[in-house]
Amino acid sequence: MLTHFLFHLVQPLIAASSSASSSSGETIGLSAGKSIALGVGAGGGAAGAGAGIGILFGKVIESVTRQPEMRDE
């Protein structure tokens, strides 16, 4: 969903820069916009997953600190 939003955000800029280009230039510009949006979206997804894993292990450490007898479970 984020990649779709970013693609629509970048698309007018690509269309404006390639309006004087040939049809192959427009295809390259469109492909570049999709690649940029995909990269930013994948980076955002990786950051979200990293934050989730960090919260998970933080809660595990916190729970073991509160109840050390439950460490083996």
Side-chain angles (χ1 to χ4, degrees):
M1 187 163 162
L2 179 63
T3 55
H4 184 70
F5 170 73
L6 291 173
F7 174 70
H8 284 293
L9 188 67
V10 174
Q11 188 177 9
L13 299 173
I14 295 170
S17 66
S18 65
S19 63
S21 307
S22 66
S23 63
S24 64
E26 290 175 13
T27 304
I28 291 171
L30 190 61
S31 175
K34 286 182 180 179
S35 298
I36 292 169
L38 181 64
V40 171
I53 291 170
I55 290 170
L56 176 75
F57 282 104
K59 293 295 181 178
V60 168
I61 292 169
E62 181 182 344
S63 65
V64 169
T65 304
R66 289 176 186 253
Q67 291 182 329
E69 66 273 5
M70 299 297 287
R71 182 179 312 172
D72 295 332
E73 296 180 23

